[in-house]
Amino acid sequence: MHIPSSVWSVVLVSLPWAAALLDTALGASSSSHHSHHRKCRCQPSQSCWPDDETWSAFNETVGGRLIATHPAAYECHDPHYDEAACSQIQKGYYHDWWRPSQPGAYQHANWEVQDDDGCLGFNRTAPCHQGNVPVYTVNATSVRDIRRAVRFASKHHIRLAVRNTGHDFLGRSTAASSLSIWVFYNKRIDFDDAFVPEGAEDDDVAGTGAIILGAGVTWAEAYKAADDHNVMVVGGTDATVGTSGGYCQGGGHSSLSPHFGLCVDNVLQYKVVTADGALKVANAFQNQDLFWALRGGGGGTFGVVVEATYKTHPEFDSILLATIVVVLGDEKDLSELTRRWFALLNDLSEGGWSGVTRIQSRSISMIYEVPNQDKEFARTALAPFVDYVQALNNTAIIILTHTFPSLWTAFEATVGSPLVRYIKTSGTNVRLSSRLIPQEHLQTLERSNELADAVMDANRLHRGHQPSVEVQLVAGRAVTKGTSEETSVHPAWRKALVNVIFVGKWNNDVSYEARQRIARRMTSSTDILRELLPESGAYFNEADPDEPDWQQAFFGSNYPRLKMIKDAVDPMGLFVCHKCVGSEDWTEDLMCPRTH
Ligand SMILES: Cc1cc2nc3c(=O)[nH]c(=O)nc-3n(C[C@H](O)[C@H](O)[C@H](O)COP(=O)(O)OP(=O)(O)OC[C@H]3O[C@@H](n4cnc5c(N)ncnc54)[C@H](O)[C@@H]3O)c2cc1C
Ligand SMILES: *[C@@H]1O[C@H](CO)[C@@H](O)[C@H](O)[C@H]1NC(C)=O
Ligand SMILES: *[C@@H]1O[C@H](CO)[C@@H](O)[C@H](O)[C@H]1NC(C)=O
Ligand SMILES: *[C@@H]1O[C@H](CO)[C@@H](O)[C@H](O)[C@H]1NC(C)=O
Ligand SMILES: *[C@@H]1O[C@H](CO)[C@@H](O)[C@H](O)[C@H]1NC(C)=O
């Protein structure tokens, strides 16, 4: 049937409801042809929510591993107060090794709260609401558990949350009214010194040294095992971040990245349960689109990864660690010190260094490392900055350098040390805003000064809320070699040298309105960098939850292909998370499909 287009335009103008019909008809032949099958997710208050019997039957299919989930501090509040349980909770509450083992606790406590509803802290008589904590959790320890949970959520239209350590800075591993698939106890670690991806013809590929990681292995666990096996693996700087969940799927930067690329550049294979409940193998030889999307397109979006295989690398002969702490007598020196440090970053990169700098109102502290070098090398490399600081009056500088025989011993002595385990580092309210800084902005003094000033200007706008800036030298060199043919991380990563992060914190007693003000201010103060670096992006895993134009900021030119793969692999939108690929198809609370 041929209909002249002018007839349609008459209909469109005169009958609004016909326009909606037309949308649906046109949609049927376009990429959004699934949208009319998508439904709102069921909430516990609704009749479509499964009854107790149904949950009970489901519990049996997952080996009794279903947990009715409560906020971390539940038993410290009336009417659920339990003295013994509460005292255990208080011991672990602020520690990053306790939180990952609690199904209702997240690294940053603010993600346990929904608007004003939550259950934070230990005031026994203060209200305790479910907030943003899942209703049920499957403590999944097998592929079978995961597949059954995926099918159950899909069948009953229940919001799904995929959770590993709960470290996410954008709250993507939890959701209100959800069923959580918790993969943390999948602790398989194996090595294969001549790994060949499944589906490759044996003579196509030379075997590669590889580490095979269950979905719940943390970096401390993987580093220890790798050291025992005399190899290294590209991973995070924190002991308790997960190896195969959101960290790597979102990019994964490492102190080893300047030498071996981002985590995504080191992935050889994923095994993943997709929305249809099938277990798929994704590598260079099969499910290549899915493999590409999982290398940078973000966690919680394309399926549940049950196993990841990463390249291993021969160990360094030694690793030199340099720790510098500068305590300022006069705050006005901070801007010039920041300029001097930024001016050094490009040379440090060329010298093989990587590391992190923290700038606070009265101090700058850094921890940097370089392989196979001696103290004299460190002295010369750091001299331009150190000499300047030493000439300042009123300013203290402490410099410690130490050579370790291996990366593991260096890790064990610093972030992995038992001492650090007992520092309270989590369970507080945190949000970030960040920007990737292109290397070309750090290659001339004029531009690096401009950048340092912009960072300090943005920092100043945070003042009053415990401002702090983190400058991570984790890109450049090997990271520049990766391409968008192989990985889906923002192409800005390939031009970047450092990642700059602004950290915002607040106490539990800060009102909802004040929290919103802090959030707005964090987003707006970072505009200085967005405007200075319009071609760059923000790192998906360490980003502002309110990042404007997020598809562009997180994925750049890779977004359209990511969205196509998302629609193909998860047509019903079972996996959704905040500012994740395809989330624009859902309402703000991610509970209902958007009607156009
Ligand atoms: C203290 C600390 C240090 C950090 N250091 C670094 C660093 O050095 N380098 C760096 O790049 N980042 C770092 N990060 C950021 C880190 O990459 C993110 O917090 C990341 O989201 C953590 O992933 P996870 O799986 O451990 O956490 P989770 O919060 O459990 O999950 C994060 C996201 O991944 C999804 N997900 C989890 N498991 C799976 C799975 N098996 N399959 C599919 N999706 C899954 C979740 O749904 C969620 O969307 C750090 C974070 C913290 C808190
Ligand atoms: C699931 O079953 C186990 C074992 O029978 C039980 O301990 C647990 O409480 C059940 N979970 C729920 C949510 O009922
Ligand atoms: C504890 O919570 C109650 C109820 O919200 C409140 O009235 C009281 O001031 C709180 N106590 C403290 C010490 O914050
Ligand atoms: C989850 O399962 C693991 C492995 O069986 C077990 O050690 C852990 O105690 C369980 N956690 C909870 C909260 O049920
Ligand atoms: C530090 O103090 C000395 C002595 O008072 C002075 O000569 C010098 O100029 C000062 N240095 C700086 C950088 O202000």
Side-chain angles (χ1 to χ4, degrees):
M1 182 177 64
H2 174 77
I3 300 164
S5 58
S6 58
V7 171
W8 279 114
S9 51
V10 171
V11 171
L12 286 176
V13 169
S14 57
L15 296 170
W17 55 265
L21 275 181
L22 180 64
D23 267 350
T24 315
L26 291 176
S29 59
S30 79
S31 68
S32 62
H33 66 284
H34 307 284
S35 56
H36 60 283
H37 296 303
R38 290 177 178 171
K39 287 187 182 172
C40 286
R41 321 221 183 242
C42 286
Q43 310 217 23
S45 59
Q46 295 172 327
S47 61
C48 57
W49 186 259
D51 57 20
D52 288 351
E53 247 168 67
T54 310
W55 282 109
S56 215
F58 171 57
N59 190 8
E60 274 173 39
T61 72
V62 293
R65 310 191 64 83
L66 187 71
I67 304 167
T69 309
H70 300 294
Y74 187 73
E75 283 152 312
C76 292
H77 290 259
D78 286 332
H80 327 285
Y81 186 83
D82 175 325
E83 194 177 334
C86 180
S87 109
Q88 285 307 111
I89 291 166
Q90 294 199 29
K91 278 191 190 130
Y93 199 76
Y94 294 109
H95 294 290
D96 70 348
W97 45 266
W98 181 80
R99 293 200 152 249
S101 70
Q102 303 302 309
Y106 293 80
Q107 197 69 195
H108 313 295
N110 42 307
W111 300 114
E112 296 166 19
V113 177
Q114 169 101 314
D115 297 337
D116 234 352
D117 275 349
C119 181
L120 299 182
F122 311 121
N123 181 349
R124 184 174 166 171
T125 57
C128 178
H129 297 293
Q130 189 75 9
N132 201 30
V133 170
V135 183
Y136 287 105
T137 298
V138 177
N139 186 358
T141 49
S142 69
V143 173
R144 192 204 55 188
D145 293 344
I146 293 171
R147 297 178 67 173
R148 293 201 166 141
V150 163
R151 293 211 171 104
F152 184 84
S154 174
K155 180 177 173 198
H156 295 281
H157 302 285
I158 289 168
R159 174 79 194 277
L160 201 55
V162 184
R163 180 213 159 118
N164 180 18
T165 67
H167 275 51
D168 199 81
F169 280 110
L170 289 89
R172 290 165 172 142
S173 40
T174 183
S177 304
S178 71
L179 169 65
S180 168
I181 299 181
W182 186 29
V183 299
F184 186 64
Y185 286 98
N186 295 273
K187 297 290 190 183
R188 175 187 177 192
I189 304 179
D190 278 311
F191 293 89
D192 185 340
D193 297 331
F195 177 81
V196 175
E198 287 179 27
E201 298 291 333
D202 271 359
D203 39 359
D204 276 0
V205 216
T208 312
I211 185 169
I212 301 157
L213 296 157
V217 177
T218 60
W219 280 118
E221 292 160 344
Y223 290 153
K224 173 78 179 83
D227 185 66
D228 289 345
H229 201 76
N230 299 315
V231 292
M232 301 188 301
V233 51
V234 172
T237 35
D238 196 77
T240 55
V241 171
T243 54
S244 5
Y247 164 83
C248 198
Q249 292 170 57
H253 64 67
S254 167
S255 64
L256 290 182
S257 291
H259 310 289
F260 308 117
L262 296 171
C263 184
V264 286
D265 299 324
N266 287 272
V267 183
L268 296 168
Q269 178 169 288
Y270 276 119
K271 291 189 178 169
V272 53
V273 173
T274 44
D276 55 1
L279 176 68
K280 297 202 174 81
V281 177
N283 59 36
F285 304 93
Q286 51 179 318
N287 294 307
Q288 290 96 330
D289 273 354
L290 183 57
F291 188 47
W292 179 81
L294 288 168
R295 283 177 296 164
T301 307
F302 300 97
V304 185
V305 165
V306 299
E307 187 184 288
T309 304
Y310 300 153
K311 278 180 204 163
T312 54
H313 303 274
E315 286 198 284
F316 295 139
D317 294 335
S318 68
I319 188 97
L320 179 85
L321 225 61
T323 308
I324 304 179
V325 180
V326 179
V327 181
L328 279 80
D330 193 337
E331 246 179 88
K332 75 170 168 44
D333 292 332
L334 190 62
S335 298
E336 185 56 26
L337 280 178
T338 303
R339 280 183 163 208
R340 301 260 167 174
W341 185 252
F342 271 84
L344 202 58
L345 288 170
N346 197 57
D347 287 348
L348 289 180
S349 165
E350 279 171 11
W353 293 88
S354 56
V356 181
T357 311
R358 281 201 184 85
I359 305 171
Q360 276 156 326
S361 37
R362 278 185 179 271
S363 70
I364 303 187
S365 55
M366 5 196 140
I367 180 158
Y368 279 71
E369 64 186 58
V370 63
N372 310 334
Q373 298 288 0
D374 59 17
K375 289 189 180 189
E376 187 49 32
F377 179 86
R379 213 199 58 76
T380 312
L382 299 169
F385 180 77
V386 171
D387 292 351
Y388 174 77
V389 177
Q390 283 180 334
L392 288 175
N393 295 322
N394 231 355
T395 296
I397 181 164
I398 303 162
I399 309 159
L400 291 170
T401 54
H402 190 79
T403 305
F404 292 89
S406 67
L407 200 61
W408 168 251
T409 47
F411 183 82
E412 224 185 355
T414 54
V415 275
S417 84
L419 213 74
V420 171
R421 275 178 70 110
Y422 288 94
I423 298 174
K424 297 178 174 186
T425 54
S426 62
T428 53
N429 304 295
V430 176
R431 61 188 286 153
L432 309 179
S433 194
S434 72
R435 205 73 187 162
L436 293 169
I437 310 297
Q439 182 157 15
E440 59 170 15
H441 271 268
L442 295 161
Q443 282 172 328
T444 67
L445 187 60
E446 191 192 345
R447 296 186 91 178
S448 93
N449 280 348
E450 177 190 39
L451 191 77
D453 292 350
V455 168
M456 292 319 288
D457 285 346
N459 180 35
R460 226 160 273 126
L461 293 172
H462 295 276
R463 222 160 253 274
H465 297 283
Q466 305 168 36
S468 81
V469 186
E470 227 181 89
V471 182
Q472 304 168 329
L473 176 58
V474 289
R477 294 167 65 102
V479 176
T480 65
K481 303 215 163 66
T483 68
S484 289
E485 260 88 78
E486 286 167 334
T487 62
S488 49
V489 288
H490 197 308
W493 264 113
R494 308 308 180 180
K495 294 183 174 170
L497 189 63
V498 301
N499 182 28
V500 169
I501 303 179
F502 302 95
V503 186
K505 297 184 174 188
W506 61 94
N507 294 330
N508 289 347
D509 58 6
V510 170
S511 74
Y512 181 45
E513 290 69 30
R515 276 183 278 141
Q516 286 179 307
R517 270 199 304 280
I518 294 171
R520 278 198 300 273
R521 180 152 59 188
M522 287 202 71
T523 307
S524 64
S525 56
T526 313
D527 280 344
I528 298 173
L529 290 180
R530 293 190 188 96
E531 280 153 24
L532 185 64
L533 310 164
E535 305 294 311
S536 194
Y539 174 35
F540 181 80
N541 281 338
E542 292 175 333
D544 189 333
D546 292 332
E547 182 67 30
D549 196 10
W550 60 268
Q551 292 93 334
Q552 185 57 37
F554 297 164
F555 305 104
S557 55
N558 287 328
Y559 194 77
R561 184 175 171 205
L562 281 168
K563 178 67 163 70
M564 253 170 53
I565 297 170
K566 167 71 181 174
D567 287 341
V569 80
D570 182 15
M572 301 291 277
L574 182 68
F575 296 100
V576 291
C577 44
H578 182 66
K579 290 186 166 47
C580 295
V581 173
S583 60
E584 68 271 33
D585 292 348
W586 296 82
T587 49
E588 191 59 33
D589 64 358
L590 302 175
M591 292 302 272
C592 285
R594 262 188 221 282
T595 50
H596 301 285

